[in-house]
């Protein structure tokens, strides 16, 4: 007889939630992780406040080779159900923009809640995971603490993002070992970087932030853009990074919802002696306004001296800023991993591997990636809940 009913590899968001669901169904549960503490990505998320879900969650806000795969699990555990758990735990929270929910206090409150929910599970931290094998008796996991046997195995070890926190490709290795396919992976929700010639112009703007809009590959977002020493970041850029591919150009509207050409022409009639850069600074951060004016040859020019054609060219630079990033900052700063365990090899309702009964994959390691803003945590809760329920059947 196996030592445990289920072993869960990974004590992150998905693994802990799955453990709680399984424990509540009377199962003997073991959670194994090489980290010193559980829920490390929870701890650092949302600036330490944990953007734990998004009320606007729907399957069309997730990327996957099968965009509908996540719909079943998401329908089986909705954002409000997690909010109910948060409320019962006495955790104060608030809504920011676009349905994003954050803790008022520290993100570790969410981890503590998940651990209490999983009371009764055995938790092996600082435990290295070695070879995993399977036979008619279940699964055998070799660890630095010894051998663990379990009737069923849940892999919740995440993707490759933020390797300094211990991220590895273990889930993909195990998937391939058991005959599952793995789609190409790459860094997601990640800052974009510029080539050297573009950095010379943008580096002086490092730290400048402004609201902007972008559309690319069928996706569109309006949010904050941040100039960095390497290129661009901020929520807007992280969102579009999931849709951008190397070599592709991007067009950014630095003043969404405004007609800057019309505004400048109006100002020209009222305050023609005003410098173009000063007029732009009424709408954009001052350093950005000065940089754009200089780039277009209008650094010291007055509005009164500019014909409509010059102001239209300036407006085009602002509303349709054309850039071609050279790459991304990679897994080092990526919030998630795009791609992963091929959903064709998993049951959408249970997250169980079709080829190996008793083997489950949940969370980030699966080829399901949400938008920025709490969606990926909701996928962790939902996929963990789906597997946790199936374990008791």
């Amino acid at each position: 007889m196996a030592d445990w009913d289920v072993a869960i590899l990974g004590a992150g968001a998905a693994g802990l939630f799955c453990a709680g669901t399984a424990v509540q169904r009377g199962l003997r549960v073991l959670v194994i992780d090489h980290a010193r503490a559980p829920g490390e990505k929870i701890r650092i998320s949302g600036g330490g406040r944990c953007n734990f879900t998004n009320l606007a969650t729907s399957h069309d806000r997730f990327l996957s080779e099968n965009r509908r795969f996540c719909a079943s699990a998401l329908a089986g555990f909705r954002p409000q159900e997690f909010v109910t758990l948060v409320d019962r735990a006495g955790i104060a929270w608030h809504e920011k923009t676009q349905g994003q929910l954050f803790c008022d206090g520290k993100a570790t409150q969410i981890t503590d809640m998940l651990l209490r929910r999983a009371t009764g599970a055995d938790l092996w931290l600082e435990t290295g995971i070695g070879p995993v094998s399977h036979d008619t008796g279940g699964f055998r996991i070799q660890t630095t603490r010894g051998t663990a046997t379990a009737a069923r195995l849940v892999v919740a070890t995440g993707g490759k993002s933020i390797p300094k926190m211990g991220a590895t490709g273990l889930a993909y290795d195990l998937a391939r070992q058991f005959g599952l396919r793995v789609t190409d992976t790459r860094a997601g929700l990640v800052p974009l970087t510029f080539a050297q010639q573009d950095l010379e112009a943008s580096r002086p703007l490092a730290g400048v932030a402004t609201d902007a809009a972008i559309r690319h590959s069928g996706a569109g977002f309006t949010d904050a853009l941040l100039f960095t020493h390497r290129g661009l970041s901020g929520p807007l850029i992280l969102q579009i990074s999931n849709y951008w591919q190397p070599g592709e150009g991007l067009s950014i509207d630095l003043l969404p919802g405004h007609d800057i050409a019309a505004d400048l022409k109006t100002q020209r009639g009222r305050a023609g002696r005003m410098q173009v850069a000063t007029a732009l600074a009424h709408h954009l951060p001052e350093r950005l306004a000065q940089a754009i004016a200089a780039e277009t040859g209008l650094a010291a020019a007055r509005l009164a001296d500019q014909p409509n054609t010059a102001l239209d060219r300036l407006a085009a630079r602002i509303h349709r800023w054309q850039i071609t990033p050279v790459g991304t900052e990679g897994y080092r700063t990526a919030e998630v991993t795009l791609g992963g365990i091929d959903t064709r090899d998993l049951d959408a309702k249970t997250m169980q591997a079709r080829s190996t009964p008793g083997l489950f994959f949940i969370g980030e390691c699966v080829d399901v990636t949400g938008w920025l803003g709490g969606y990926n945590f909701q996928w962790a809760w939902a996929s963990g809940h789906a597997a946790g329920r199936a374990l008791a059947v």
Side-chain angles (χ1 to χ4, degrees), residues 9 30 39 41 110 152 163 190 198-199 210 214 290 309 337 345 352:
L9 307 185
L30 169 65
K41 272 197 172 181
I110 298 296
R152 280 148 288 181
V190 64
D198 296 317
L199 278 178
T210 188
I214 192 167
Q290 291 173 345
T309 53
T337 302
D345 295 333
Q352 185 170 208

Side-chain angles (χ1 to χ4, degrees), residues 100-274:
Q100 302 171 25
L101 304 190
F102 288 78
C103 296
D104 288 354
K106 293 182 178 179
T108 50
Q109 294 176 101
I110 298 296
T111 304
D112 292 341
M113 179 192 79
L114 297 177
L115 289 171
R116 288 194 299 271
R117 184 171 177 269
T119 298
D122 293 313
L123 179 59
W124 290 3
L125 295 174
E126 297 184 271
T127 302
I129 299 170
V132 175
S133 59
H134 175 247
D135 57 29
T136 55
F139 295 86
R140 181 178 297 272
I141 307 107
Q142 304 294 334
T143 80
T144 53
R145 190 181 291 209
T147 301
T149 61
R152 280 148 288 181
L153 179 68
V154 179
V155 181
T157 53
K160 299 179 181 179
S161 61
I162 318 184
K164 71 178 181 180
M165 296 184 65
T168 70
L170 175 61
Y172 312 135
D173 294 338
L174 289 173
R176 294 187 183 100
Q177 175 186 330
F178 287 99
L180 282 72
R181 291 164 287 191
V182 178
T183 69
D184 291 340
T185 58
R186 61 187 177 92
L189 297 179
V190 64
L192 299 178
T193 57
F194 285 166
Q196 189 59 41
Q197 63 270 23
D198 296 317
L199 278 178
E200 292 177 2
S202 66
R203 189 175 282 130
L205 296 172
V208 171
T210 188
D211 285 341
I214 192 167
R215 289 199 63 83
H216 189 73
S217 295
F221 303 97
T222 299
D223 215 319
L225 175 150
L226 174 68
F227 289 85
T228 74
H229 287 93
R230 298 183 181 88
L232 296 176
S233 188
L236 181 80
I237 297 303
L238 299 189
Q239 292 280 38
I240 212 64
S241 71
N242 282 359
Y243 297 85
W244 176 83
Q245 294 285 352
E248 295 179 344
L250 294 172
S251 179
I252 300 177
D253 184 351
L254 295 172
L255 270 177
H258 291 268
D259 184 344
I260 189 61
D263 289 346
L264 292 176
K265 290 169 187 176
T266 298
Q267 284 186 284
R268 181 180 59 188
R270 296 174 179 172
R273 299 173 66 179
M274 181 185 296

